[in-house]
């Protein structure tokens, strides 16, 4: 029976893949409308410059170029600035100064994509270069080049944020037997989704209705933002329809609003034609929101035997020219204060300072729940630094310190209430799977022969599912989520949600939740997301929040339907509702299996034979405000071999044991973990965006930005433990980001472990062959 239903726990094949693998997906660039025009963007070659003049005459002379839009054209429309998600403001187009290389300077609207590009090439801008600051530490020093002249505050400091017990933590450090301290830089990287950003904006002048097809992870919030920003132009929320069609990867990069979106809407309103804007790859990497870029100094205080006592962390966060991070309003450094991780620090204190620099804006939550990757990397690296200091095996040190399973719900010294966990069980399973004891023996033997082999552990704790609305909002919009279910007379169902899949398989997993709750086969349940005209309001998909929040809404909406269905069943079975029970995916008279009604029979009756006095139909909606976040966790172990000559790091084995509570679809979760691990390998060994002193980007295309492919990716080995969330309606926690959060520290720890006997304590990621070879040369290992 259960197999036919395909409910929770079944590896149902992804429903959406039928169209994806046949090339029948419908992405923004697939949208083609009659009379559609194309928009392309001219960008700044300078990181900081005064615009003396913009000459658009040659561009306008090209046949097919219909308009060129500059910042000055946007002033009368009050659209030259737009709000960011972090209550800062960002230029749509500059009126006098550009603040980073690749910043949007002007837009060309033309009848063909290629003509628009010719128009961009023909725009002549006279720039006066200005001094540039790219290092956030220097940017915060007195007398540094001022990035934001438009602000009243005449320095580059954005905000200071702190949490924890400063005095208590300082005292714990003063009294501590052992203190370790480590500077850690988590470099700027980019999500680099397969699909770049884009929009088709279509303004219907007659009806005053704007329809946009857009690469957005949060269509409802975007609709509200458009109404707030462009309401004065007559764009009113009930006449705005945001459609987020199939999306080729978001990973947090498709949460912010980019100037291109605003320009496409403006161009459509101006011309009355549909306008398409699609970024190319370099524009995507060079100008769209970046991730990470945290300069961290972390200290850990412990007893000589390794008992961890206190944690102190100071961070400078580089936000580029505008604070366009996608964090909940209350938390400018995201959920960085999950940094106490899997350990019961009695005292801790964290402070973060945001800085402006002449670099693109961002600080997005790249496949992590708002700065959780930065936090997990730091604590898991620091634990290994302590292990080296006190000469203790890093697995043993972790086992000694983990928050015990009996301590949950556990309130951390930085204020989070962890819902459930069993960290020792996960690490033990990972150690057994990989054969930890044997690997340590092999390492010792290899070391004796001069070979370089390392073993690294990461026992991370995540925090996902924003959020309880009392703490979480974005631009004031509370972070709940929603689900609406309609069961049709023939027993088929339509499920609509406020979240939006970008490849995670929601059409399958949310159908499985409904299947489980209502006893309808998963194949009979259609799931729709991403159309603000049809789906209930929600905050969208990022930060692994879909299952914790919309998953809760789905289960509860289904349960509301089941409540009503029970009354109809009682009516049909001529029994009291008290005598009816839900068993084997059917309602039956208690103890009389022969007297039962399926959900299909009940659905038909809901429209044809419902009890008098009851409303017809079988549908429900739920707006779910979770009581708490969920805290998935895992233990990862990585084995690396290092080439003594070239410094190349090879990941020989990688075992990932994850715990995301109750699993809806094991195959999808496995896929999420595989993809996430590759996205964790990437910053550990390959990816980084750097800038020279003039603010020129180095790594702004796939020739220079090494995105790992199947060639670089090892064969991942996975395992699981199941510790349900006690407060989630189906016991599930999020999982989409766990592997990206947990993997980098395991890899970095393995590399440092391979070199520890040479006196190496830390290497900043990405750990490139060049960096390792340099160390090996310094230590006299490599020639
Ligand atoms: O918000 P996002 O969809 O990115 O992340 P998620 O909620 O962690 O879910 C990623 C995918 O894994 C979705 O298809 C989920 O329904 C599925 N999942 C699952 O099957 N079981 C879980 N316990 C968690 C997620």
């Amino acid at each position: 029976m259960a197999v036919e239903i395909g409910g929770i726990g079944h590896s149902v094949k992804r429903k959406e893949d039928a169209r994806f693998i046949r090339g029948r997906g419908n992405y923004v660039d697939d949208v083609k409308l009659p009379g559609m025009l194309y928009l392309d963007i001219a960008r700044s070659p300078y990181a900081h410059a005064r615009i003396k003049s913009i000459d658009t005459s040659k561009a306008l002379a090209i046949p097919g170029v219909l308009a060129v839009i500059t910042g000055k054209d946007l002033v009368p429309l009050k659209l030259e600035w737009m709000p960011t998600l972090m209550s800062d403001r960002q230029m749509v187009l500059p009126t006098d100064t550009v603040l980073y290389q690749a910043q949007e300077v002007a837009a060309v609207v033309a009848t063909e994509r290629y003509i628009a590009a010719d128009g961009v090439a023909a725009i002549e801008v006279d720039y006066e270069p200005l001094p540039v600051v790219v290092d956030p530490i220097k940017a915060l020093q007195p007398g540094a080049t001022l990035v934001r002249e438009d602000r009243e505050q005449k320095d580059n400091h954005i905000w200071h944020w702190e949490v924890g017990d400063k005095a208590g933590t300082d005292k714990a450090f003063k009294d501590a037997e052992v203190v370790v301290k480590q500077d850690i830089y988590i470099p700027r990287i980019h999500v680099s989704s397969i699909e770049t950003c884009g929009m088709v904006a279509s303004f219907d002048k007659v009806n005053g209705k704007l329809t946009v097809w857009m690469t957005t992870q949060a269509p409802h919030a975007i609709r509200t933002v458009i109404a707030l920003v462009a309401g004065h132009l007559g764009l009113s929320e009930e006449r705005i329809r945001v459609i987020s069609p199939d999306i080729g990867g978001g990973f947090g990069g498709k949460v912010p609003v980019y100037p291109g979106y605003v320009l496409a809407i403006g161009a459509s309103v101006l011309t009355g034609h549909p306008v398409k804007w699609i970024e190319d790859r370099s524009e995507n990497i060079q100008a769209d929101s970046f991730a990470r870029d945290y300069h961290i100094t972390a200290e850990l205080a412990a007893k000589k035997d390794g008992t961890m006592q206190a944690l102190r962390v100071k961070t400078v966060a580089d936000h580029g020219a505008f604070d366009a991070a996608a964090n909940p309003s209350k938390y400018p450094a995201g959920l960085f204060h999950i940094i106490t991780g899997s350990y019961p620090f009695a005292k801790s204190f964290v402070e973060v300072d945001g800085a402006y620099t002449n670099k693109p804006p961002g600080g997005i939550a790249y496949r992590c729940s708002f700065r959780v990757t930065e936090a997990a990397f730091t604590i898991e690296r620091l634990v290994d630094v302590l292990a080296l200091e006190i000469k203790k095996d890093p697995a043993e040190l972790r086992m000694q310190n983990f928050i015990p399973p009996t301590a949950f719900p556990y309130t951390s010294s930085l204020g989070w209430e962890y819902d459930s966990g069993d960290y020792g069980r996960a690490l033990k399973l990972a150690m057994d799977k990989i054969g930890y004891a044997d690997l340590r023996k092999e390492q010792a033997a290899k070391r004796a022969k001069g070979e370089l082999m390392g073993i690294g552990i990461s026992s991370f704790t995540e925090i996902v599912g924003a959020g309880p609305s009392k703490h979480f909002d974005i631009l004031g919009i509370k972070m709940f989520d929603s689900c609406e279910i309609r069961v049709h007379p023939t027993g088929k169902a339509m499920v609509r949600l406020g979240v939006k899949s970008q490849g995670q398989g929601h059409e399958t997993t949310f159908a499985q939740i409904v299947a489980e709750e209502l006893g309808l086969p998963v194949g009979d349940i259609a799931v729709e997301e991403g159309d603000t005209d049809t789906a209930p309001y929600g905050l969208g998909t990022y930060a692994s929040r879909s299952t914790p929040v919309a998953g809760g809404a789905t289960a509860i909406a289904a349960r509301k339907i089941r409540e009503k269905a029970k009354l109809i069943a009682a009516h049909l079975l001529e029994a009291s509702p008290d005598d009816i029970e839900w068993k084997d995916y059917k309602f039956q008279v208690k103890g009389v299996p022969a007297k039962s009604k399926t959900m299909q029979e009940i659905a038909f009756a809901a429209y044809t034979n419902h009890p008098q006095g009851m409303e017809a139909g079988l549908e429900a909606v739920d707006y779910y405000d979770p009581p708490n976040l969920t805290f998935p966790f895992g233990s990862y172990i990585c084995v690396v071999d290092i080439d003594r000559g070239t410094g190349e790091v090879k990941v020989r084995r990688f075992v990932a044991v994850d715990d995301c509570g109750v699993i809806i679809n094991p195959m999808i979760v496995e896929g999420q973990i595989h993809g996430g691990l590759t996205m964790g390998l990437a910053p550990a060994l390959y990816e980084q965006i750097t800038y020279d002193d003039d603010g020129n980007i180095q790594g702004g295309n796939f020739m220079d930005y090494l995105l790992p492919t199947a060639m670089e990716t090892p064969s991942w080995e996975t395992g699981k433990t199941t510790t349900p969330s006690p407060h989630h309606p189906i016991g599930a926690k999020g999982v989409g980001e766990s592997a990206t959060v947990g993997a980098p520290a395991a890899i970095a720890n393995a590399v440092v472990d391979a070199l520890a006997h040479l006196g190496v304590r830390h290497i900043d990621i990405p750990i490139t062959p060049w960096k390792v070879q340099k160390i090996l040369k310094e230590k006299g290992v490599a020639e």
Side-chain angles (χ1 to χ4, degrees), residues 464 499-502 504-506 509-510 512-513 540-548 660-666 668-669 672 731-737:
V464 304
V499 289
K500 172 64 205 165
S501 186
Q502 309 123 41
Q504 296 93 324
H506 289 183
T509 49
F510 289 114
Q512 287 183 259
I513 297 177
T541 290
Y542 38 85
S544 295
R545 64 187 298 279
S546 302
T547 303
C660 59
V662 172
I663 291 179
I664 303 161
N665 185 319
I668 287 183
V669 166
Q672 292 288 305
K733 303 180 179 186
V735 78
E737 303 168 330

Side-chain angles (χ1 to χ4, degrees), residues 179-509:
V179 170
V180 288
K181 181 174 182 177
Q182 186 60 56
D183 287 335
I184 294 172
Y185 175 51
I186 307 204
R188 178 177 278 239
I189 54 173
H190 199 278
V191 302
S192 304
S193 310
I194 291 177
E195 181 199 30
T196 61
C197 291
M199 173 185 270
V200 173
S202 180
F203 183 63
D204 170 353
K205 279 195 168 173
V206 176
N207 297 304
K209 177 149 184 162
L210 173 73
T211 306
V212 300
W213 289 260
M214 180 179 178
T215 48
T216 179
Q217 299 175 226
H220 295 274
I222 291 288
R223 185 187 64 187
T224 303
V225 170
I226 296 174
L228 292 175
V229 172
H232 62 286
L233 302 175
L235 292 177
S236 167
E237 198 164 4
E238 83 286 7
R239 279 179 279 133
I240 302 168
R241 180 179 185 187
V242 178
I243 301 170
S244 195
D246 287 329
I247 295 196
F251 310 112
K254 288 173 180 161
V255 175
V257 174
Y258 297 117
Y261 296 134
V262 181
L263 291 166
I265 293 172
S268 180
V269 172
L270 204 76
T271 61
H273 283 264
V275 174
K276 179 182 276 189
W277 166 68
I278 304 283
E279 286 173 332
D280 67 24
R281 177 57 61 192
S282 292
E283 290 180 293
N284 180 261
I285 300 190
Q286 292 173 15
D288 286 3
S289 288
F290 69 89
R292 323 286 191 241
D293 221 343
Y294 258 33
H295 297 254
I296 300 163
T297 301
E299 296 170 276
L300 194 158
K303 289 190 192 164
K304 268 195 231 134
D305 70 355
T307 307
M308 298 177 198
Q309 294 173 305
L311 186 69
R312 191 163 57 190
V313 183
K314 198 169 166 48
T315 293
V316 172
D318 186 340
H319 282 272
F322 309 103
D323 187 8
N327 290 322
S329 309
K330 193 169 158 183
Y331 304 108
L335 310 189
F336 188 58
H337 44 318
I338 191 68
I339 195 160
T340 52
S342 310
Y343 314 100
F345 290 101
K347 296 284 172 196
S348 37
F349 179 67
V350 172
E351 55 188 324
V352 186
D353 287 278
Y356 289 121
T357 56
N358 289 116
K359 293 191 280 191
I364 52 147
Y366 171 3
R367 208 164 182 173
C368 93
S369 185
F370 317 113
R371 303 295 189 183
V372 175
T373 311
E374 290 88 327
F377 184 83
T378 303
I379 184 63
E380 286 306 305
R381 205 49 288 289
L382 204 57
V383 168
D384 266 37
V385 174
L386 175 66
L388 270 177
E389 179 72 23
I390 61 169
K391 298 189 177 51
K392 197 162 210 168
D393 180 273
E396 198 187 326
L397 181 63
R398 285 176 170 83
M399 287 291 195
Q400 172 190 346
N401 280 283
F402 282 147
I403 300 162
T406 48
F408 292 89
Y410 169 80
T411 302
S412 79
S413 49
L414 294 178
W416 295 118
E417 188 188 293
Y418 295 17
D419 58 349
S420 62
D422 191 344
Y423 305 143
R425 186 157 62 122
L427 178 54
K428 166 120 189 12
L429 180 59
M431 290 169 76
D432 290 348
K433 269 185 167 296
I434 208 155
Y436 187 77
D438 287 345
L439 283 169
R440 282 286 173 214
K441 281 186 207 142
E442 183 192 339
Q443 183 187 34
K446 286 207 158 138
R447 207 168 261 182
K449 288 191 279 175
E451 290 174 36
L452 301 172
M453 167 191 167
I455 306 156
I457 301 173
S458 167
S459 291
F460 63 96
T461 291
E462 264 205 289
I463 170 169
V464 304
S469 69
K470 59 180 185 281
H471 295 307
F472 290 86
D473 72 86
I474 286 196
L475 287 176
I477 308 169
K478 300 289 188 188
M479 295 184 77
F480 54 83
D481 232 289
S482 61
C483 174
E484 179 199 88
I485 304 173
R486 292 184 189 176
V487 184
H488 307 315
T490 55
K492 318 289 174 186
M494 168 59 77
V495 179
R496 293 193 170 102
L497 299 132
V499 289
K500 172 64 205 165
S501 186
Q502 309 123 41
Q504 296 93 324
H506 289 183
E507 285 168 48
T508 310
T509 49

